[in-house]
Amino acid sequence: MPSEPALLLRHHRPFIAFWLARIFTASGFQMLTVAIGWNLYQLTGNVLDLGLVGLVEFVPRVLFMLHTGHVADRYERRKVAAICQTVQAMIALSLAIGGLTGNVTREMIFILAFLLGAARSFEMPTTQAMLPSIVPTALFPRAVASSQSAQQLATIVAPALGGLLYAFGSVWVYGPTVVLYLIACVLTLNLPARQTPLNKAKATMDSLLAGIRFIRSRPDILGAISLDLFAVLLGGATALLPVFAKDILLTGAWGLGLLRSAPAVGALLMSLWLARFSVDRKVGRVMFTAVGVFGVATIAFGLSTSFWFSLAVLVVLGAADMISMVIRASFVQLETPDEMRGRVSAVNGLFIGASNQLGEFESGITAHWFGTVPAVVMGGIGTLLVTGVWIKLFPSLANRDRMHVPADDTAPKPTA
């Protein structure tokens, strides 16, 4: 039986390529989002348009949810991801040309934002389904944590870099973004091909709904992704950070930037820790504990009047969220057959997107009704209540000890 270091050494090159592709495409998206927001606000001066852009990007995830998973399961995943990255590069190139010629319009930005959301809707479940065929099963939780570190690193660095480059003009952001996406495309195409036969079945309503049926048939998977949906939906306070920065913590724009970065810093540090020391036992208990800590940290942030304490609490919040995410993503992928991973990942992605988007909406509504601080505190309490209810509803998930990986399944299956 080969040791974990030997397995990691054997598969480190494909995973490094995957990791770099993730960081390039995530950085490209973060920079593109910053530039689109600034560009649109300069054109219209309407704050509502900034919210509409996020909604336009989210709509394709709902419209194409069933189809994105089916495409990831039926076609070669490397090529699907590469096509999506190429489309995003073309979107950035279109904006760069428009910036040079002065032809960028509000309508153009909304159309390209919709196409950007559509490309990401197909890319996300595809890349998630690729990872189990790149690394050994025994190392998969660490691979998930390492993969997430790329996402968090991009979330911390890329927006600041995009904002800095935009000071020289929008083309200075759109141009490098094109390069980042193209590099990610080349790295993706050089990953190993999938090691199970392609699903050649035609797209029928039965096959499109197979991912939903599979999740409903597995209580642990259903419990995990629905727990994330409701915990983040209730506990998310990101949309209210400008109010805290200006009116409660009494800082300026610099303080808002630090508050937005703090959860990503905590998530990055925790992902690096989990990449080295994975959670191998009592995974259910650890996941529910992490969600509970997320709720407590949300309450503490809502009650805080100290800027530095608020920063520290947000770092803890991000770290707790990363623990939950890594455990959930690991066993959901490992419990799902390869021919179903695309469709299951598509449903999971919709849950994640809905929790983030609807969570911001819920925060705004409750803050309008009850006030900013009560809204955040009630959200944290709601997260704790959901955690307790889910422990009762899904006892097998709460008592889950391992990822249920067979002892002899330490490497991807060879190509037939």
Side-chain angles (χ1 to χ4, degrees), residues 244 248-249 297-306 309-310 373-374 376-377:
F244 276 91
I248 298 175
L249 302 177
T298 300
I299 296 172
F301 174 77
L303 296 175
S304 172
T305 57
S306 166
F309 179 75
S310 297
V373 171
V376 174
V377 172

Side-chain angles (χ1 to χ4, degrees), residues 62-190:
V62 179
L63 293 178
F64 305 131
M65 180 194 71
L66 298 177
H67 300 281
T68 56
H70 188 83
V71 167
D73 288 334
R74 187 177 184 187
Y75 300 100
E76 178 57 56
R77 289 167 182 159
R78 297 176 306 164
K79 297 178 181 179
V80 173
I83 291 173
C84 294
Q85 291 155 2
T86 302
V87 170
Q88 293 171 82
M90 293 175 64
I91 292 170
L93 180 61
S94 299
L95 288 167
I97 295 174
L100 285 172
T101 60
N103 291 324
V104 176
T105 65
R106 176 179 181 270
E107 292 72 21
M108 174 184 176
I109 290 179
F110 278 119
I111 292 172
L112 292 178
F114 180 86
L115 295 176
L116 178 64
R120 284 179 56 80
S121 296
F122 283 90
E123 181 191 16
M124 292 177 66
T126 303
T127 53
Q128 290 176 5
M130 284 167 50
L131 187 56
S133 64
I134 294 175
V135 298
T137 303
L139 300 180
F140 186 70
R142 297 185 182 185
V144 171
S146 298
S147 178
Q148 285 300 314
S149 70
Q151 182 75 31
Q152 299 304 324
L153 185 61
T155 302
I156 295 171
V157 177
L161 179 59
L164 178 64
L165 292 175
Y166 199 94
F168 300 98
S170 62
V171 177
W172 287 88
V173 184
Y174 296 135
T177 300
V178 174
V179 177
L180 290 174
Y181 277 123
L182 292 179
I183 294 175
C185 177
V186 172
L187 290 169
T188 300
L189 289 175
N190 282 280

Side-chain angles (χ1 to χ4, degrees), residues 19-102:
W19 190 87
L20 290 174
R22 282 293 305 273
I23 201 169
F24 282 127
T25 191
S27 298
F29 175 72
Q30 293 290 339
M31 292 174 62
L32 192 57
T33 301
V34 168
I36 286 176
W38 276 106
N39 207 341
L40 181 62
Y41 192 66
Q42 283 182 330
L43 286 173
T44 68
N46 190 345
V47 178
L48 179 61
D49 283 342
L50 299 179
L52 290 176
V53 166
L55 180 62
V56 168
E57 290 181 7
F58 176 70
V59 166
R61 187 172 295 183
V62 179
L63 293 178
F64 305 131
M65 180 194 71
L66 298 177
H67 300 281
T68 56
H70 188 83
V71 167
D73 288 334
R74 187 177 184 187
Y75 300 100
E76 178 57 56
R77 289 167 182 159
R78 297 176 306 164
K79 297 178 181 179
V80 173
I83 291 173
C84 294
Q85 291 155 2
T86 302
V87 170
Q88 293 171 82
M90 293 175 64
I91 292 170
L93 180 61
S94 299
L95 288 167
I97 295 174
L100 285 172
T101 60

Side-chain angles (χ1 to χ4, degrees), residues 54-369:
L55 180 62
V56 168
E57 290 181 7
F58 176 70
V59 166
R61 187 172 295 183
V62 179
L63 293 178
F64 305 131
M65 180 194 71
L66 298 177
H67 300 281
T68 56
H70 188 83
V71 167
D73 288 334
R74 187 177 184 187
Y75 300 100
E76 178 57 56
R77 289 167 182 159
R78 297 176 306 164
K79 297 178 181 179
V80 173
I83 291 173
C84 294
Q85 291 155 2
T86 302
V87 170
Q88 293 171 82
M90 293 175 64
I91 292 170
L93 180 61
S94 299
L95 288 167
I97 295 174
L100 285 172
T101 60
N103 291 324
V104 176
T105 65
R106 176 179 181 270
E107 292 72 21
M108 174 184 176
I109 290 179
F110 278 119
I111 292 172
L112 292 178
F114 180 86
L115 295 176
L116 178 64
R120 284 179 56 80
S121 296
F122 283 90
E123 181 191 16
M124 292 177 66
T126 303
T127 53
Q128 290 176 5
M130 284 167 50
L131 187 56
S133 64
I134 294 175
V135 298
T137 303
L139 300 180
F140 186 70
R142 297 185 182 185
V144 171
S146 298
S147 178
Q148 285 300 314
S149 70
Q151 182 75 31
Q152 299 304 324
L153 185 61
T155 302
I156 295 171
V157 177
L161 179 59
L164 178 64
L165 292 175
Y166 199 94
F168 300 98
S170 62
V171 177
W172 287 88
V173 184
Y174 296 135
T177 300
V178 174
V179 177
L180 290 174
Y181 277 123
L182 292 179
I183 294 175
C185 177
V186 172
L187 290 169
T188 300
L189 289 175
N190 282 280
L191 292 173
R194 65 190 298 174
Q195 293 153 333
T196 56
L198 296 176
N199 182 1
K200 294 298 184 180
K202 292 183 178 181
T204 63
M205 184 56 65
D206 183 68
S207 65
L208 293 175
L209 295 174
I212 297 176
R213 289 200 306 272
F214 179 83
I215 291 174
R216 290 182 58 187
S217 69
R218 303 296 174 97
D220 284 6
I221 296 179
L222 176 61
I225 64 176
S226 59
L227 172 66
D228 176 75
L229 169 63
F230 289 104
V232 176
L233 176 66
L234 295 173
T238 305
L240 301 178
L241 287 181
V243 182
F244 276 91
K246 182 177 182 296
D247 299 330
I248 298 175
L249 302 177
L250 305 178
T251 67
W254 65 272
L256 175 60
L258 291 178
L259 290 173
R260 285 192 175 277
S261 298
V265 171
L268 175 62
L269 295 175
M270 181 55 66
S271 65
L272 295 175
W273 174 269
L274 294 175
R276 179 65 181 87
F277 305 100
S278 62
V279 179
D280 297 322
R281 301 297 301 272
K282 300 180 179 178
V283 294
R285 183 180 302 177
V286 172
M287 184 180 69
F288 276 101
T289 300
V291 177
V293 171
F294 180 90
V296 171
T298 300
I299 296 172
F301 174 77
L303 296 175
S304 172
T305 57
S306 166
F307 175 71
W308 298 109
F309 179 75
S310 297
L311 277 181
V313 168
L314 288 177
V315 170
V316 173
L317 182 148
D321 188 44
M322 177 56 61
I323 295 174
S324 170
M325 193 287 304
V326 168
I327 293 176
R328 182 182 68 256
S330 297
F331 85 76
V332 167
Q333 290 291 337
L334 293 175
E335 289 277 304
T336 305
D338 184 71
E339 65 273 11
M340 290 287 299
R341 284 189 177 124
R343 282 164 284 183
V344 171
S345 296
V347 178
N348 189 29
L350 178 64
F351 273 53
I352 294 173
S355 64
N356 293 329
Q357 299 289 337
L358 295 181
E360 293 183 2
F361 177 73
E362 179 270 340
S363 297
I365 291 295
T366 53
H368 177 72
W369 286 345

